Coordinates of all heavy atoms in Angstrom, one line a residue:
M1 N -22.6 -12.9 -12.8 CA -21.3 -12.6 -12.1 C -20.9 -11.2 -12.4 O -20.4 -10.5 -11.5 CB -20.2 -13.6 -12.7 CG -18.9 -13.3 -12.2 SD -18.3 -14.4 -11.0 CE -16.7 -14.0 -10.9
R2 N -21.1 -10.7 -13.6 CA -20.7 -9.3 -13.9 C -21.5 -8.3 -13.1 O -21.0 -7.3 -12.7 CB -20.9 -9.1 -15.4 CG -20.5 -7.7 -15.9 CD -19.0 -7.4 -15.7 NE -18.7 -6.0 -15.8 CZ -17.6 -5.5 -15.4 NH1 -16.7 -6.2 -14.9 NH2 -17.4 -4.2 -15.6
K3 N -22.8 -8.7 -12.8 CA -23.7 -7.8 -12.0 C -23.1 -7.6 -10.6 O -23.2 -6.6 -10.0 CB -25.1 -8.3 -12.0 CG -25.8 -8.2 -13.3 CD -27.3 -8.7 -13.1 CE -28.0 -8.5 -14.5 NZ -29.4 -9.0 -14.3
N4 N -22.6 -8.7 -10.0 CA -22.0 -8.7 -8.7 C -20.8 -7.8 -8.7 O -20.6 -7.0 -7.7 CB -21.7 -10.1 -8.2 CG -22.9 -10.9 -7.9 OD1 -24.0 -10.4 -7.6 ND2 -22.7 -12.2 -7.9
I5 N -20.0 -7.9 -9.7 CA -18.8 -7.0 -9.7 C -19.1 -5.6 -9.8 O -18.6 -4.7 -9.2 CB -17.8 -7.5 -10.9 CG1 -17.3 -8.9 -10.6 CG2 -16.7 -6.5 -11.1 CD1 -16.6 -9.5 -11.8
D6 N -20.1 -5.3 -10.7 CA -20.6 -3.9 -10.9 C -21.2 -3.4 -9.6 O -20.9 -2.2 -9.2 CB -21.7 -3.8 -12.0 CG -21.1 -4.0 -13.4 OD1 -19.8 -3.9 -13.5 OD2 -21.8 -4.3 -14.3
R7 N -21.9 -4.2 -8.8 CA -22.5 -3.8 -7.6 C -21.4 -3.5 -6.5 O -21.5 -2.5 -5.8 CB -23.5 -4.9 -7.1 CG -24.2 -4.5 -5.8 CD -25.2 -5.5 -5.4 NE -24.7 -6.9 -5.4 CZ -24.0 -7.4 -4.4 NH1 -23.8 -6.7 -3.3 NH2 -23.6 -8.7 -4.4
I8 N -20.4 -4.3 -6.5 CA -19.3 -4.1 -5.5 C -18.6 -2.8 -5.8 O -18.3 -2.0 -4.9 CB -18.4 -5.3 -5.5 CG1 -19.1 -6.5 -4.9 CG2 -17.1 -5.0 -4.8 CD1 -18.4 -7.9 -5.1
Q9 N -18.3 -2.6 -7.1 CA -17.7 -1.3 -7.5 C -18.5 -0.1 -7.2 O -18.0 0.9 -6.7 CB -17.4 -1.3 -9.0 CG -16.2 -2.3 -9.4 CD -16.0 -2.4 -10.9 OE1 -16.9 -2.1 -11.7 NE2 -14.9 -2.9 -11.3
R10 N -19.8 -0.2 -7.4 CA -20.7 1.0 -7.0 C -20.7 1.2 -5.5 O -20.6 2.4 -5.1 CB -22.1 0.7 -7.5 CG -22.3 1.0 -9.0 CD -23.7 1.1 -9.4 NE -24.5 -0.1 -9.0 CZ -24.7 -1.2 -9.7 NH1 -24.1 -1.4 -10.9 NH2 -25.4 -2.2 -9.2
N11 N -20.7 0.1 -4.8 CA -20.7 0.3 -3.3 C -19.4 0.9 -2.8 O -19.4 1.8 -1.9 CB -20.9 -1.1 -2.6 CG -22.3 -1.5 -2.7 OD1 -23.2 -0.8 -3.0 ND2 -22.5 -2.8 -2.5
G12 N -18.3 0.5 -3.5 CA -17.0 1.1 -3.1 C -16.9 2.6 -3.5 O -16.3 3.4 -2.7
E13 N -17.5 2.9 -4.6 CA -17.5 4.3 -5.0 C -18.4 5.2 -4.1 O -18.0 6.3 -3.8 CB -18.0 4.4 -6.5 CG -17.0 3.9 -7.5 CD -17.7 3.8 -8.9 OE1 -18.8 4.1 -9.1 OE2 -17.0 3.3 -9.8
R14 N -19.5 4.6 -3.6 CA -20.3 5.3 -2.7 C -19.6 5.5 -1.4 O -19.7 6.6 -0.8 CB -21.6 4.5 -2.4 CG -22.6 4.6 -3.6 CD -23.9 4.0 -3.2 NE -24.6 3.5 -4.4 CZ -25.2 2.3 -4.5 NH1 -25.2 1.5 -3.5 NH2 -25.7 2.0 -5.6
K15 N -18.9 4.5 -0.9 CA -18.2 4.6 0.3 C -17.1 5.7 0.2 O -16.9 6.5 1.1 CB -17.6 3.2 0.7 CG -16.8 3.2 2.0 CD -16.3 1.8 2.3 CE -15.6 1.8 3.7 NZ -15.1 0.5 4.0
E16 N -16.4 5.7 -0.9 CA -15.3 6.7 -1.1 C -15.9 8.1 -1.1 O -15.4 9.0 -0.6 CB -14.5 6.4 -2.3 CG -13.3 7.2 -2.5 CD -12.3 6.7 -3.5 OE1 -12.6 5.6 -4.1 OE2 -11.4 7.4 -3.8
S17 N -17.1 8.3 -1.8 CA -17.7 9.6 -1.9 C -18.1 10.0 -0.5 O -18.0 11.2 -0.2 CB -18.9 9.5 -2.8 OG -18.6 9.3 -4.1
L18 N -18.7 9.1 0.3 CA -19.1 9.5 1.7 C -17.9 9.9 2.5 O -17.9 10.9 3.2 CB -19.8 8.3 2.3 CG -20.2 8.5 3.8 CD1 -21.2 9.7 3.9 CD2 -20.8 7.2 4.3
I19 N -16.8 9.2 2.4 CA -15.6 9.5 3.2 C -15.0 10.9 2.7 O -14.6 11.7 3.5 CB -14.5 8.4 3.0 CG1 -15.0 7.1 3.7 CG2 -13.2 8.8 3.5 CD1 -14.2 5.9 3.4
D20 N -15.0 11.1 1.4 CA -14.6 12.4 0.9 C -15.5 13.6 1.4 O -15.0 14.6 1.8 CB -14.6 12.4 -0.6 CG -13.5 11.7 -1.3 OD1 -12.5 11.4 -0.5 OD2 -13.6 11.3 -2.4
S21 N -16.8 13.4 1.4 CA -17.7 14.4 1.8 C -17.6 14.7 3.3 O -17.8 15.9 3.7 CB -19.1 14.1 1.4 OG -19.6 13.0 2.2
L22 N -17.2 13.7 4.1 CA -17.1 13.9 5.5 C -15.6 14.3 5.9 O -15.4 14.6 7.0 CB -17.5 12.6 6.3 CG -18.9 12.2 6.2 CD1 -19.1 10.9 6.8 CD2 -19.8 13.3 6.8
R23 N -14.8 14.4 4.9 CA -13.4 14.7 5.0 C -12.7 13.8 6.1 O -11.9 14.3 6.9 CB -13.2 16.2 5.4 CG -13.7 17.1 4.4 CD -13.4 18.6 4.7 NE -13.8 19.4 3.6 CZ -14.7 20.4 3.7 NH1 -15.3 20.6 4.8 NH2 -15.0 21.1 2.6
L24 N -12.9 12.5 5.9 CA -12.3 11.6 6.8 C -11.0 11.0 6.1 O -11.0 11.0 4.9 CB -13.2 10.4 7.1 CG -14.5 10.8 7.9 CD1 -15.5 9.6 7.9 CD2 -14.2 11.2 9.3
P25 N -10.0 10.6 6.8 CA -8.8 10.1 6.2 C -9.0 8.7 5.6 O -9.5 7.8 6.2 CB -7.8 10.0 7.4 CG -8.6 9.9 8.6 CD -9.9 10.7 8.3
K26 N -8.7 8.6 4.3 CA -9.0 7.4 3.5 C -8.1 6.2 4.0 O -8.6 5.1 4.0 CB -8.7 7.6 2.0 CG -9.8 8.4 1.3 CD -9.5 8.5 -0.1 CE -10.5 9.4 -0.8 NZ -10.2 9.6 -2.2
D27 N -6.9 6.5 4.4 CA -6.0 5.4 4.9 C -6.6 4.7 6.1 O -6.5 3.5 6.2 CB -4.6 5.9 5.2 CG -4.5 6.9 6.2 OD1 -5.4 7.8 6.3 OD2 -3.6 6.9 7.1
I28 N -7.3 5.4 6.9 CA -7.9 4.7 8.1 C -9.3 4.1 7.7 O -9.5 3.0 8.1 CB -8.1 5.8 9.2 CG1 -6.7 6.2 9.7 CG2 -8.9 5.2 10.4 CD1 -6.7 7.3 10.7
C29 N -10.1 4.9 7.1 CA -11.5 4.4 6.8 C -11.6 3.3 5.7 O -12.4 2.4 5.8 CB -12.4 5.6 6.3 SG -12.5 6.9 7.6
M30 N -10.7 3.3 4.8 CA -10.7 2.3 3.7 C -9.6 1.3 3.8 O -9.5 0.4 3.0 CB -10.7 3.0 2.3 CG -11.9 3.9 2.1 SD -11.9 4.5 0.4 CE -12.4 3.1 -0.5
G31 N -8.8 1.4 4.8 CA -7.7 0.5 5.0 C -6.6 0.6 3.9 O -5.9 -0.4 3.7
A32 N -6.5 1.7 3.3 CA -5.5 1.9 2.2 C -4.1 2.0 2.8 O -3.9 2.6 3.9 CB -5.8 3.2 1.4
M33 N -3.1 1.5 2.1 CA -1.7 1.7 2.5 C -1.3 3.1 2.3 O -1.8 3.8 1.4 CB -0.8 0.8 1.6 CG -0.6 -0.6 2.1 SD 0.7 -1.4 1.4 CE 0.0 -2.0 -0.1
K34 N -0.5 3.6 3.2 CA 0.0 5.0 3.1 C 1.6 4.8 2.9 O 2.2 4.2 3.8 CB -0.3 5.7 4.3 CG 0.1 7.2 4.3 CD -0.4 7.9 5.6 CE 0.0 9.3 5.5 NZ -0.5 10.0 6.7
V35 N 2.1 5.4 1.8 CA 3.5 5.3 1.5 C 4.1 6.7 1.5 O 3.6 7.6 0.8 CB 3.8 4.7 0.1 CG1 5.2 4.7 -0.2 CG2 3.2 3.3 0.0
T36 N 5.1 6.9 2.4 CA 5.7 8.2 2.5 C 7.2 8.0 2.1 O 7.9 7.2 2.7 CB 5.6 8.7 3.9 OG1 4.3 8.8 4.4 CG2 6.2 10.1 4.1
M37 N 7.6 8.8 1.1 CA 9.0 8.7 0.6 C 9.8 9.9 1.1 O 9.3 11.0 1.1 CB 9.0 8.7 -0.9 CG 8.3 7.5 -1.5 SD 9.2 6.0 -1.4 CE 10.7 6.4 -2.2
T38 N 11.1 9.6 1.3 CA 12.1 10.7 1.5 C 13.1 10.5 0.4 O 14.0 9.6 0.5 CB 12.8 10.6 2.9 OG1 11.8 10.7 3.9 CG2 13.8 11.7 3.1
G39 N 13.0 11.3 -0.6 CA 13.8 11.1 -1.8 C 13.6 9.7 -2.4 O 12.5 9.2 -2.4
N40 N 14.8 9.1 -2.8 CA 14.7 7.7 -3.3 C 15.4 6.8 -2.4 O 15.7 5.7 -2.7 CB 15.2 7.6 -4.7 CG 16.7 7.9 -4.8 OD1 17.3 8.5 -3.9 ND2 17.3 7.3 -5.8
R41 N 15.6 7.2 -1.1 CA 16.4 6.5 -0.2 C 15.6 5.8 1.0 O 16.1 4.8 1.5 CB 17.5 7.3 0.4 CG 18.5 7.8 -0.5 CD 19.4 6.7 -1.0 NE 20.4 7.2 -2.0 CZ 21.3 6.4 -2.5 NH1 21.3 5.1 -2.2 NH2 22.1 6.9 -3.4
E42 N 14.5 6.3 1.3 CA 13.7 5.8 2.4 C 12.2 5.8 2.1 O 11.7 6.7 1.4 CB 13.9 6.6 3.7 CG 15.3 6.6 4.2 CD 15.5 7.5 5.4 OE1 14.8 8.6 5.4 OE2 16.2 7.2 6.3
A43 N 11.5 4.8 2.6 CA 10.1 4.7 2.4 C 9.5 4.2 3.7 O 10.0 3.3 4.3 CB 9.7 3.8 1.3
W44 N 8.4 4.9 4.2 CA 7.7 4.5 5.3 C 6.3 4.0 4.8 O 5.6 4.7 4.1 CB 7.5 5.6 6.4 CG 8.7 5.9 7.1 CD1 9.0 5.4 8.3 CD2 9.7 6.8 6.8 NE1 10.2 5.9 8.7 CE2 10.7 6.8 7.8 CE3 9.9 7.7 5.7 CZ2 11.8 7.6 7.8 CZ3 11.1 8.4 5.6 CH2 12.0 8.4 6.7
I45 N 5.9 2.8 5.2 CA 4.7 2.2 4.8 C 3.8 1.9 6.0 O 4.2 1.3 7.0 CB 4.9 0.9 4.0 CG1 5.8 1.2 2.8 CG2 3.6 0.3 3.5 CD1 7.2 1.0 3.0
E46 N 2.5 2.4 5.9 CA 1.6 2.1 7.0 C 0.4 1.3 6.4 O 0.1 1.4 5.2 CB 1.0 3.5 7.5 CG 2.1 4.3 8.1 CD 1.6 5.7 8.6 OE1 0.6 5.7 9.4 OE2 2.1 6.7 8.1
N47 N -0.2 0.6 7.2 CA -1.4 -0.2 6.9 C -1.2 -1.3 5.9 O -2.0 -1.7 5.1 CB -2.6 0.7 6.4 CG -3.0 1.7 7.4 OD1 -2.9 1.5 8.6 ND2 -3.5 2.8 6.9
Y48 N 0.0 -1.9 5.9 CA 0.2 -3.1 5.0 C -0.3 -4.3 5.7 O -0.4 -4.4 6.9 CB 1.7 -3.2 4.7 CG 2.6 -3.7 5.8 CD1 2.9 -5.0 5.9 CD2 3.0 -2.8 6.8 CE1 3.7 -5.5 7.0 CE2 3.8 -3.2 7.8 CZ 4.2 -4.6 7.9 OH 4.9 -5.0 9.0
R49 N -0.6 -5.4 4.9 CA -1.1 -6.6 5.5 C -0.1 -7.7 5.7 O -0.2 -8.5 6.6 CB -2.2 -7.1 4.6 CG -3.5 -6.3 4.6 CD -4.4 -6.8 5.6 NE -5.6 -6.0 5.7 CZ -6.8 -6.3 5.5 NH1 -7.1 -7.6 5.1 NH2 -7.8 -5.5 5.7
G50 N 0.9 -7.7 4.8 CA 1.9 -8.7 4.9 C 3.1 -8.5 4.0 O 3.0 -7.7 3.0
L51 N 4.2 -9.2 4.2 CA 5.4 -9.2 3.4 C 5.3 -10.5 2.5 O 5.3 -11.6 3.0 CB 6.6 -9.2 4.3 CG 8.0 -9.3 3.6 CD1 8.2 -8.0 2.7 CD2 9.0 -9.4 4.7
L52 N 5.3 -10.3 1.2 CA 5.2 -11.4 0.2 C 6.6 -11.8 -0.3 O 6.8 -13.0 -0.6 CB 4.3 -11.1 -0.9 CG 2.8 -10.7 -0.5 CD1 2.1 -10.3 -1.8 CD2 2.2 -11.9 0.1
E53 N 7.5 -10.9 -0.5 CA 8.8 -11.2 -1.1 C 9.8 -10.1 -0.6 O 9.5 -8.9 -0.5 CB 8.8 -11.1 -2.6 CG 10.0 -11.6 -3.3 CD 9.9 -11.6 -4.8 OE1 8.8 -11.8 -5.3 OE2 11.0 -11.5 -5.4
Y54 N 11.0 -10.6 -0.2 CA 12.0 -9.7 0.3 C 13.4 -10.1 -0.2 O 13.9 -11.2 0.2 CB 12.0 -9.8 1.8 CG 13.0 -8.9 2.5 CD1 13.5 -7.8 2.0 CD2 13.5 -9.3 3.8 CE1 14.4 -7.0 2.6 CE2 14.4 -8.5 4.5 CZ 14.9 -7.4 3.9 OH 15.8 -6.6 4.5
T55 N 13.9 -9.4 -1.1 CA 15.3 -9.6 -1.6 C 16.0 -8.2 -1.6 O 15.3 -7.2 -1.3 CB 15.3 -10.1 -3.1 OG1 14.8 -9.2 -4.0 CG2 14.5 -11.4 -3.2
E56 N 17.3 -8.2 -1.9 CA 18.0 -7.0 -2.0 C 17.6 -6.1 -3.1 O 17.8 -4.9 -3.1 CB 19.5 -7.3 -2.1 CG 20.4 -6.1 -2.0 CD 21.9 -6.5 -2.1 OE1 22.4 -6.6 -3.2 OE2 22.5 -6.7 -1.0
R57 N 16.9 -6.6 -4.1 CA 16.4 -5.9 -5.3 C 14.9 -5.6 -5.3 O 14.5 -4.8 -6.1 CB 16.8 -6.6 -6.6 CG 18.3 -6.7 -6.7 CD 18.7 -7.1 -8.1 NE 20.0 -6.8 -8.5 CZ 20.3 -5.6 -9.0 NH1 19.5 -4.7 -9.2 NH2 21.6 -5.4 -9.4
Q58 N 14.2 -6.3 -4.5 CA 12.7 -6.2 -4.6 C 12.1 -6.5 -3.2 O 12.4 -7.5 -2.6 CB 12.2 -7.1 -5.6 CG 10.7 -7.1 -5.8 CD 10.2 -7.9 -7.0 OE1 10.7 -7.7 -8.1 NE2 9.3 -8.8 -6.8
I59 N 11.1 -5.7 -2.8 CA 10.3 -5.9 -1.6 C 8.8 -5.8 -2.1 O 8.4 -4.8 -2.6 CB 10.6 -5.0 -0.5 CG1 12.1 -5.1 -0.1 CG2 9.7 -5.2 0.7 CD1 12.6 -4.1 1.0
L60 N 8.1 -6.9 -1.9 CA 6.7 -6.9 -2.3 C 5.8 -7.0 -1.1 O 5.9 -7.9 -0.2 CB 6.4 -8.1 -3.2 CG 5.0 -8.3 -3.8 CD1 4.6 -7.1 -4.6 CD2 4.9 -9.6 -4.6
L61 N 4.9 -6.1 -0.9 CA 4.0 -6.0 0.2 C 2.5 -6.2 -0.2 O 2.1 -5.7 -1.3 CB 4.1 -4.6 0.9 CG 5.5 -4.2 1.4 CD1 5.4 -2.8 2.0 CD2 6.0 -5.2 2.5
Q62 N 1.7 -6.9 0.7 CA 0.3 -7.0 0.4 C -0.4 -6.0 1.2 O -0.2 -5.8 2.4 CB -0.1 -8.4 0.9 CG -1.6 -8.7 0.7 CD -2.0 -8.7 -0.8 OE1 -1.4 -9.5 -1.6 NE2 -3.0 -8.0 -1.1
G63 N -1.3 -5.3 0.5 CA -2.2 -4.4 1.2 C -3.6 -4.9 1.2 O -3.9 -6.1 0.8
R64 N -4.6 -4.2 1.6 CA -6.0 -4.6 1.7 C -6.5 -4.8 0.3 O -7.2 -5.7 0.0 CB -6.8 -3.6 2.5 CG -8.2 -4.0 2.6 CD -9.0 -3.1 3.5 NE -10.4 -3.5 3.5 CZ -11.4 -2.8 3.8 NH1 -11.2 -1.5 4.0 NH2 -12.6 -3.2 3.8
T65 N -6.2 -3.8 -0.6 CA -6.8 -3.8 -2.0 C -5.8 -4.1 -3.1 O -6.3 -4.2 -4.2 CB -7.6 -2.5 -2.2 OG1 -6.6 -1.4 -2.1 CG2 -8.7 -2.3 -1.2
C66 N -4.5 -4.0 -2.8 CA -3.5 -4.2 -3.8 C -2.2 -4.6 -3.2 O -2.1 -4.7 -2.0 CB -3.4 -2.9 -4.6 SG -2.6 -1.5 -3.7
Q67 N -1.3 -4.8 -4.1 CA 0.1 -5.1 -3.7 C 1.0 -4.0 -4.1 O 0.7 -3.3 -5.1 CB 0.6 -6.4 -4.4 CG -0.1 -7.6 -3.9 CD 0.3 -8.9 -4.7 OE1 1.1 -8.8 -5.6 NE2 -0.2 -10.0 -4.3
V68 N 2.0 -3.7 -3.4 CA 3.0 -2.7 -3.7 C 4.4 -3.3 -3.8 O 4.8 -4.0 -2.8 CB 3.0 -1.5 -2.6 CG1 4.0 -0.5 -3.0 CG2 1.6 -0.9 -2.5
C69 N 5.1 -3.0 -4.9 CA 6.4 -3.6 -5.1 C 7.4 -2.4 -5.2 O 7.3 -1.5 -6.0 CB 6.4 -4.4 -6.4 SG 8.0 -5.1 -6.8
F70 N 8.4 -2.5 -4.3 CA 9.5 -1.6 -4.3 C 10.7 -2.3 -5.0 O 11.1 -3.4 -4.6 CB 9.9 -1.2 -2.9 CG 8.9 -0.4 -2.1 CD1 7.9 -1.1 -1.5 CD2 8.9 0.9 -2.1 CE1 6.9 -0.4 -0.8 CE2 8.0 1.7 -1.4 CZ 6.9 1.0 -0.8
E71 N 11.3 -1.6 -6.0 CA 12.4 -2.2 -6.7 C 13.6 -1.2 -6.6 O 13.4 0.0 -6.5 CB 12.1 -2.4 -8.2 CG 11.0 -3.4 -8.4 CD 10.5 -3.6 -9.8 OE1 11.0 -2.7 -10.7 OE2 9.7 -4.5 -10.1
G72 N 14.8 -1.8 -6.6 CA 16.0 -0.9 -6.5 C 17.2 -1.8 -6.2 O 17.3 -3.0 -6.5
T73 N 18.2 -1.2 -5.5 CA 19.4 -1.9 -5.1 C 19.6 -1.7 -3.6 O 19.2 -0.6 -3.0 CB 20.6 -1.4 -5.9 OG1 20.7 0.1 -5.7 CG2 20.5 -1.6 -7.4
R74 N 20.3 -2.6 -3.0 CA 20.6 -2.6 -1.6 C 19.4 -2.3 -0.7 O 19.5 -1.6 0.3 CB 21.7 -1.6 -1.3 CG 23.0 -2.0 -2.0 CD 24.2 -1.1 -1.6 NE 23.9 0.3 -1.7 CZ 24.0 1.1 -2.8 NH1 24.2 0.5 -4.0 NH2 23.7 2.3 -2.8
L75 N 18.2 -2.8 -1.1 CA 17.0 -2.6 -0.3 C 17.0 -3.4 1.0 O 17.5 -4.6 1.0 CB 15.7 -3.0 -1.1 CG 15.5 -2.2 -2.4 CD1 14.2 -2.7 -3.0 CD2 15.4 -0.7 -2.1
S76 N 16.6 -2.8 2.1 CA 16.5 -3.5 3.4 C 15.3 -3.0 4.1 O 14.9 -1.8 3.9 CB 17.8 -3.3 4.1 OG 18.0 -2.0 4.5
I77 N 14.8 -3.8 5.0 CA 13.8 -3.4 5.9 C 14.4 -3.0 7.3 O 15.0 -3.9 7.9 CB 12.7 -4.5 6.1 CG1 12.0 -4.8 4.8 CG2 11.7 -4.1 7.2 CD1 11.1 -6.0 4.8
D78 N 14.4 -1.7 7.6 CA 15.1 -1.2 8.8 C 14.3 -1.7 10.1 O 14.9 -2.0 11.1 CB 15.2 0.3 8.8 CG 16.2 0.7 7.7 OD1 16.9 -0.1 7.2 OD2 16.3 2.0 7.5
Y79 N 13.0 -1.6 10.0 CA 12.2 -2.1 11.1 C 10.8 -2.3 10.6 O 10.4 -1.8 9.5 CB 12.1 -1.1 12.3 CG 11.3 0.1 12.0 CD1 9.9 0.1 12.3 CD2 11.8 1.3 11.5 CE1 9.1 1.2 12.1 CE2 11.0 2.4 11.3 CZ 9.6 2.3 11.6 OH 8.9 3.4 11.3
Y80 N 10.0 -3.1 11.3 CA 8.6 -3.3 11.0 C 7.8 -3.7 12.2 O 8.4 -4.3 13.2 CB 8.4 -4.4 9.9 CG 8.8 -5.8 10.3 CD1 7.9 -6.7 10.8 CD2 10.1 -6.2 10.3 CE1 8.2 -8.0 11.2 CE2 10.5 -7.5 10.7 CZ 9.5 -8.4 11.1 OH 9.9 -9.6 11.5
T81 N 6.6 -3.3 12.3 CA 5.6 -3.7 13.3 C 4.4 -4.2 12.6 O 4.4 -4.3 11.3 CB 5.3 -2.5 14.2 OG1 4.5 -1.5 13.4 CG2 6.5 -1.8 14.8
N82 N 3.3 -4.5 13.3 CA 2.1 -4.9 12.7 C 1.4 -3.8 11.9 O 0.6 -4.1 11.0 CB 1.1 -5.4 13.7 CG 1.5 -6.7 14.3 OD1 2.3 -7.5 13.7 ND2 1.0 -7.0 15.5
E83 N 1.8 -2.5 12.1 CA 1.1 -1.4 11.5 C 2.0 -0.7 10.4 O 1.5 -0.2 9.5 CB 0.7 -0.4 12.5 CG -0.4 -0.8 13.4 CD 0.1 -1.5 14.6 OE1 1.2 -1.2 15.1 OE2 -0.6 -2.4 15.2
D84 N 3.3 -0.7 10.6 CA 4.2 0.1 9.7 C 5.5 -0.5 9.6 O 5.9 -1.4 10.3 CB 4.3 1.5 10.2 CG 5.0 1.7 11.5 OD1 5.0 0.7 12.3 OD2 5.4 2.8 11.8
M85 N 6.3 -0.1 8.5 CA 7.6 -0.5 8.3 C 8.4 0.6 7.6 O 7.8 1.5 7.0 CB 7.7 -1.8 7.5 CG 7.5 -1.7 6.0 SD 8.0 -3.1 5.1 CE 7.2 -4.5 5.9
K86 N 9.8 0.5 7.7 CA 10.6 1.4 7.0 C 11.6 0.6 6.1 O 12.2 -0.3 6.5 CB 11.5 2.2 8.0 CG 12.4 3.2 7.3 CD 13.3 3.9 8.3 CE 14.3 4.8 7.6 NZ 15.3 5.3 8.6
I87 N 11.6 1.0 4.8 CA 12.5 0.4 3.8 C 13.5 1.5 3.5 O 13.2 2.6 3.3 CB 11.7 0.0 2.6 CG1 10.6 -1.1 2.9 CG2 12.6 -0.4 1.5 CD1 9.7 -1.4 1.8
S88 N 14.8 1.0 3.4 CA 15.8 1.9 2.9 C 16.7 1.2 1.8 O 16.6 0.0 1.7 CB 16.7 2.3 4.1 OG 17.4 1.2 4.6
G89 N 17.4 2.0 1.1 CA 18.2 1.6 0.0 C 18.1 2.6 -1.1 O 17.6 3.7 -0.9
C90 N 18.4 2.2 -2.3 CA 18.3 3.0 -3.5 C 17.0 2.6 -4.2 O 17.0 1.6 -5.0 CB 19.5 2.9 -4.4 SG 19.4 4.1 -5.8
I91 N 15.9 3.2 -4.0 CA 14.6 2.8 -4.5 C 14.5 3.5 -5.9 O 14.5 4.7 -6.1 CB 13.4 3.3 -3.6 CG1 13.6 2.7 -2.2 CG2 12.1 2.9 -4.2 CD1 12.7 3.3 -1.2
S92 N 14.3 2.6 -6.9 CA 14.2 3.1 -8.3 C 12.8 3.1 -8.9 O 12.5 3.8 -9.8 CB 15.2 2.3 -9.2 OG 14.8 1.0 -9.2
C93 N 11.9 2.2 -8.3 CA 10.6 2.1 -8.8 C 9.6 1.6 -7.7 O 10.0 0.8 -6.9 CB 10.7 1.1 -10.0 SG 9.1 0.7 -10.7
I94 N 8.4 2.1 -7.8 CA 7.3 1.6 -6.9 C 6.2 1.3 -7.9 O 5.7 2.1 -8.6 CB 6.9 2.7 -5.9 CG1 8.1 3.1 -5.0 CG2 5.7 2.2 -5.1 CD1 7.7 4.3 -4.1
R95 N 5.7 0.0 -7.8 CA 4.6 -0.4 -8.7 C 3.5 -0.9 -7.8 O 3.7 -1.6 -6.8 CB 5.1 -1.6 -9.5 CG 6.0 -1.2 -10.6 CD 6.3 -2.4 -11.6 NE 7.0 -3.5 -10.9 CZ 6.5 -4.7 -10.8 NH1 5.4 -5.0 -11.5 NH2 7.2 -5.7 -10.2
Y96 N 2.3 -0.5 -8.2 CA 1.1 -0.9 -7.5 C 0.4 -2.0 -8.4 O 0.1 -1.7 -9.6 CB 0.1 0.2 -7.3 CG 0.6 1.2 -6.3 CD1 1.5 2.3 -6.7 CD2 0.3 1.1 -5.0 CE1 2.0 3.2 -5.8 CE2 0.7 2.0 -4.0 CZ 1.6 3.0 -4.4 OH 2.1 3.9 -3.5
I97 N 0.3 -3.2 -7.9 CA -0.2 -4.3 -8.6 C -1.6 -4.7 -8.2 O -1.9 -4.7 -7.1 CB 0.7 -5.5 -8.4 CG1 2.2 -5.1 -8.8 CG2 0.3 -6.7 -9.3 CD1 3.2 -6.1 -8.3

């Protein structure tokens, strides 16, 4: 089992090295989430997979490889599509899980 995990990690590292050497955007090639902040009041998120939790104090999003948790007060989702969303409020913490 450990050999399979090591092999998957090596393949991921090779893929990332190839993308870096070709100067391709990682968010598109690897499906990584892209988070853009404006101060601590607004966040734009691209390439998320789903919404797992939504309260006034916490918004939890699922990405391809991890989850991202926004914590704060008066958090709200201003809009969302299949590709991106905008979160506003007083964002005090962003955690990658």
Side-chain angles (χ1 to χ4, degrees):
M1 172 104 170
R2 182 65 192 163
K3 287 182 181 181
N4 288 338
I5 293 171
D6 290 342
R7 184 175 48 85
I8 291 168
Q9 288 175 339
R10 281 193 307 271
N11 287 341
E13 290 168 2
R14 284 188 207 136
K15 183 176 181 180
E16 191 168 352
S17 293
L18 178 62
I19 290 168
D20 285 341
S21 67
L22 294 174
R23 295 190 177 116
L24 297 171
K26 286 184 184 179
D27 59 319
I28 294 171
C29 297
M30 297 186 72
M33 272 193 278
K34 183 175 181 180
V35 178
T36 306
M37 296 286 300
T38 302
N40 68 335
R41 297 290 180 178
E42 297 177 323
W44 285 268
I45 300 91
E46 299 175 58
N47 299 331
Y48 72 97
R49 291 269 174 119
L51 177 63
L52 300 176
E53 186 175 335
Y54 178 30
T55 68
E56 189 177 84
R57 295 190 158 276
Q58 182 172 306
I59 298 175
L60 181 61
L61 302 176
Q62 178 66 53
R64 182 175 179 207
T65 59
C66 68
Q67 295 175 355
V68 177
C69 182
F70 294 86
E71 296 175 352
T73 56
R74 297 185 313 277
L75 298 180
S76 65
I77 298 174
D78 291 349
Y79 75 88
Y80 67 95
T81 66
N82 288 337
E83 293 87 29
D84 63 342
M85 79 166 48
K86 179 185 175 189
I87 295 174
S88 64
C90 185
I91 301 167
S92 60
C93 178
I94 301 173
R95 289 186 297 124
Y96 293 85
I97 305 167

